[in-house]
Amino acid sequence: QGHIGLTIKLGLFTGLREEEIIYIHNKEICNNLGGCKCEKLHVISKPNGMTIVMINWFRGHKKCYFTIMPSKIWQQFKSTPNFNNIDIQIAHKMTMKVSNLMYMYLRKLHYNIMCRVMKQHEADILAGRAKTVAAQHYILYELDKLTEDYMRAWETFKVNIFQ
């Protein structure tokens, strides 16, 4: 619950790396709903209660195209005035204490859950392991399908993502 709980939910439900979570908190959101090519985040809220955040942040071999998460979590996260590495460190201590699981393993858990419903190349795109052309295809044409598959993946494990 609270700020630590939100930080843990972000790690689990987005599958983002720690530095990517900090990056999207600090990055400005573009107001152009037409999908421009600027450096800001592009956010799409879907009627099914999911939000897609177009990130397109690349560092060496690490890529982050976009993430999907419940809209409620996105709204709580963006309304948090400050978010930094200390928040991740505290969440790491909590996940270690409660489940003996390092925070960074939430990303691996997310990937494995997504692979239960999505095709592997779809889960790879969410994990930043896809070629840019494939990611662009899904961004343009398959977002509704991905959000539905995302929700089904969590339902498979009886996880209520809207709590």
Side-chain angles (χ1 to χ4, degrees), residues 39-65:
E39 297 291 317
K40 298 176 185 175
L41 298 178
H42 293 84
V43 179
I44 302 169
S45 296
K46 304 301 279 179
N48 62 6
M50 304 305 296
T51 293
I52 298 129
V53 181
M54 308 296 183
I55 303 165
N56 290 317
W57 189 38
F58 311 119
R59 293 115 34 241
H61 69 283
K62 292 185 180 181
K63 294 175 175 44
C64 181
Y65 301 105

Side-chain angles (χ1 to χ4, degrees), residues 3-5 7-8 18-19 21-22 83-97 101-104 106:
H3 191 70
I4 297 169
T7 305
I8 293 169
E18 297 167 15
E19 64 271 15
I21 295 171
I22 295 166
F83 190 89
N84 57 41
N85 204 40
I86 293 168
D87 298 299
I88 303 277
Q89 290 171 7
I90 293 168
H92 169 76
K93 288 178 183 174
M94 183 62 71
T95 58
M96 284 298 292
K97 181 179 180 180
L101 185 71
M102 293 191 315
Y103 186 85
M104 65 185 248
L106 296 177

Side-chain angles (χ1 to χ4, degrees), residues 12-163:
L12 182 62
F13 292 133
T14 66
L16 294 175
R17 297 173 183 93
E18 297 167 15
E19 64 271 15
E20 293 164 351
I21 295 171
I22 295 166
Y23 175 84
I24 66 170
H25 185 271
N26 298 326
K27 196 72 173 169
E28 192 176 344
I29 297 171
C30 179
N31 292 322
N32 180 355
L33 299 178
C36 65
K37 298 267 186 194
C38 75
E39 297 291 317
K40 298 176 185 175
L41 298 178
H42 293 84
V43 179
I44 302 169
S45 296
K46 304 301 279 179
N48 62 6
M50 304 305 296
T51 293
I52 298 129
V53 181
M54 308 296 183
I55 303 165
N56 290 317
W57 189 38
F58 311 119
R59 293 115 34 241
H61 69 283
K62 292 185 180 181
K63 294 175 175 44
C64 181
Y65 301 105
F66 62 94
T67 191
I68 301 170
M69 71 183 90
S71 297
K72 180 180 174 184
I73 292 174
W74 171 249
Q75 292 158 358
Q76 290 172 340
F77 178 57
K78 284 309 276 186
S79 68
T80 303
N82 297 312
F83 190 89
N84 57 41
N85 204 40
I86 293 168
D87 298 299
I88 303 277
Q89 290 171 7
I90 293 168
H92 169 76
K93 288 178 183 174
M94 183 62 71
T95 58
M96 284 298 292
K97 181 179 180 180
V98 172
S99 61
N100 199 29
L101 185 71
M102 293 191 315
Y103 186 85
M104 65 185 248
Y105 287 151
L106 296 177
R107 173 176 166 77
K108 295 177 188 305
L109 186 59
H110 177 272
Y111 177 78
N112 282 296
I113 289 170
M114 293 301 111
C115 283
R116 300 297 179 250
V117 171
M118 293 180 181
K119 296 175 184 156
Q120 184 174 353
H121 70 275
E122 293 170 334
D124 284 345
I125 290 165
L126 278 178
R129 297 184 189 127
K131 294 186 170 108
T132 304
V133 174
Q136 287 174 347
H137 169 79
Y138 275 90
I139 288 169
L140 291 173
Y141 304 109
E142 303 286 344
L143 286 180
D144 289 334
K145 179 189 179 312
L146 281 179
T147 61
E148 294 299 325
D149 287 350
Y150 175 98
M151 292 188 302
R152 279 187 323 153
W154 290 109
E155 288 169 7
T156 300
F157 289 90
K158 310 282 189 253
V159 175
N160 182 352
I161 60 174
F162 297 111
Q163 277 185 320

